[in-house]
Amino acid sequence: MPEFHRGRRLRRSRTMRDMVRETELRPQDLMMLYFVVETDDENFEKPISSMPGQHQLSLQKLEQRVAQAVDNGLRSLMLFGIPAQKDEHASGAYDDNGIVQRAIRMIKANWPDLLVCPDVCLCEYTSHGHCGIVQDGDVLNDPTLELLARTAVSYAEAGADMVAPSDMMDGRVLAIRDALDNAGFPNLPIMSYAVKYASAFYGPFREAAESAPQFGDRKTYQMDPANSREALREAAADVFEGADILMVKPALPYLDIVRQVRDSFDAPVAAYQVSGEYSMIKAAAQNGWIDEQAVVLESLTAIKRAGADLILTYFTEDLLKTL
Ligand code: PBG
Ligand code: ZN
């Protein structure tokens, strides 16, 4: 006599559950993110109030922190720079002696095998806080491409293993690919922030990176959260232009997009659990409302289950200790 489905049979013991588990989080899937500040104060280590546990770090403090993380198994990291001076042309971004360039050299000298991937954008370096050149209140697309390409080449020359453009200007992957190839870096991959939404979840990051736009918002270049077909057009454009890894950002509120990009392209997919996602978990945990470690593991497992191959998360350091 046929019986109803007894799904509980496979959930009876931890061994059984582990045996049939479909998704696994691995240390090599996680990329940590660091904020490095151009300062003479070697001991500079400023807590970011909206991101408990995260700091703005001097080069020396970054070195100490990365050393600790490498001991715990860190494999890869992304860098954001906070320059001493900002100007209209973001000159700190492509200064060969800029803070990110110096951080890359420091890290690669200490840990040649650690994968270093700087974020490529101008917003931390422009006085107005936009991701490109501004004229009459407008963020100009094509003149910005040249500066992004210069920045990427400068990072490559400093020793970066990969570059990750996050600006959302049209054609930037092509411009960066072309510039890298011409500068002798045909083998340096590009992880494109292919599908980046104009999200309110970036709020804490803008405090951390001191990169909030001084006027207006980023809706004329980042995507409308309401759109998913557009996400596939953006991803297709970046694949065509030469992106090696496609990123979707934010992560948890956009799992449908992660899944669609995963199913539509054969390139690896990255998902970025952004600052607001991090801060919400931290805040609730600090109030005793949720179990932080369990919620972090569940969130990241969900992001992988949706199709992400790698995850950028501020929880990486903590997770390396638990995985
Ligand atoms: C810079 C950049 C941002 C983030 C990554 N790169 C901010 C923005 O676009 O305003 C957001 C990361 C986060 O919120 O954790 N373009
Ligand atoms: Zn930017």
Side-chain angles (χ1 to χ4, degrees):
M1 186 173 68
E3 217 213 25
F4 50 81
H5 169 65
R6 288 195 185 273
R8 291 182 58 187
R9 284 181 193 131
L10 297 182
R11 296 178 204 134
R12 281 169 57 83
S13 70
R14 175 155 187 186
T15 307
M16 186 61 82
R17 290 192 298 273
D18 285 352
M19 188 181 271
V20 299
R21 192 154 211 237
E22 299 174 32
T23 309
E24 211 69 56
L25 270 180
R26 308 176 308 168
Q28 61 265 41
D29 303 330
L30 304 175
M31 190 180 274
M32 181 59 190
L33 308 110
Y34 292 102
F35 300 97
V36 59
V37 180
E38 186 171 22
T39 170
D40 294 331
D41 177 2
E42 299 198 352
N43 293 317
F44 189 89
E45 187 172 23
K46 187 177 166 201
I48 299 158
S49 62
S50 56
M51 298 178 73
Q54 303 301 311
H55 301 80
Q56 291 184 343
L57 303 164
S58 66
L59 209 53
Q60 293 76 13
K61 287 288 173 189
L62 174 67
E63 184 170 12
Q64 291 171 14
R65 218 166 156 118
V66 170
Q68 179 86 82
V70 168
D71 277 350
N72 290 327
L74 184 71
R75 312 284 186 96
S76 65
L77 60 85
M78 178 171 277
L79 289 170
F80 298 98
I82 298 139
Q85 313 279 352
K86 300 179 191 245
D87 59 35
E88 299 241 302
H89 302 282
S91 40
Y94 41 89
D95 175 351
D96 291 333
N97 211 22
I99 186 60
V100 167
Q101 286 83 348
R102 282 156 59 195
I104 295 167
R105 281 190 223 110
M106 179 276 286
I107 293 169
K108 294 306 291 187
N110 281 305
W111 303 282
D113 295 335
L114 188 58
L115 193 152
V116 176
C117 176
D119 177 272
V120 175
C121 201
L122 305 184
C123 52
E124 295 99 344
Y125 306 89
T126 49
S127 39
H128 45 68
H130 277 289
C131 303
I133 294 299
V134 169
Q135 196 176 62
D136 302 328
D138 206 25
V139 180
L140 302 180
N141 195 85
D142 298 14
T144 299
L145 300 182
E146 189 192 327
L147 301 185
L148 292 166
R150 264 173 84 174
T151 304
V153 169
S154 175
Y155 291 161
E157 285 169 345
D161 298 291
M162 179 156 77
V163 291
S166 68
D167 52 283
M168 287 301 275
M169 296 300 123
D170 295 322
R172 92 274 204 199
V173 173
L174 188 63
I176 290 173
R177 183 71 272 156
D178 198 46
L180 288 172
D181 290 355
N182 286 327
F185 299 100
N187 294 320
L188 197 104
I190 299 174
M191 175 164 71
S192 160
Y193 286 67
V195 183
K196 179 174 179 182
Y197 287 94
S199 172
F201 286 95
Y202 307 152
F205 174 96
R206 293 180 188 166
E207 178 201 331
E210 300 177 10
S211 65
Q214 300 302 299
F215 66 90
D217 51 42
R218 302 208 202 289
K219 289 180 184 163
T220 66
Y221 40 108
Q222 298 178 350
M223 285 177 53
D224 183 342
N227 296 352
S228 66
R229 292 191 303 270
E230 186 185 1
L232 298 181
R233 290 206 297 275
E234 285 289 341
D238 283 11
V239 167
F240 176 74
E241 291 179 31
D244 299 282
I245 300 179
L246 300 170
M247 192 202 296
V248 174
K249 173 185 177 204
L252 207 62
Y254 295 85
L255 293 187
D256 57 325
I257 309 298
V258 173
R259 169 50 60 194
Q260 287 185 69
V261 172
R262 166 73 294 155
D263 288 346
S264 307
F265 301 93
D266 51 17
V269 175
Y272 191 149
Q273 182 186 49
V274 301
S275 55
E277 297 179 72
Y278 172 87
S279 301
M280 289 196 303
I281 293 174
K282 279 283 177 188
Q286 284 183 349
N287 273 297
W289 296 337
I290 57 169
D291 173 340
E292 177 172 326
Q293 191 177 310
V295 167
V296 170
L297 284 172
E298 184 176 332
S299 303
L300 296 176
T301 302
I303 294 166
K304 280 218 80 176
R305 190 199 61 228
D309 298 292
L310 64 137
I311 304 175
L312 297 94
T313 172
Y314 301 95
F315 287 112
T316 297
E317 283 186 355
D318 296 346
L319 272 160
L320 290 172
K321 295 175 203 153
T322 51
L323 284 180

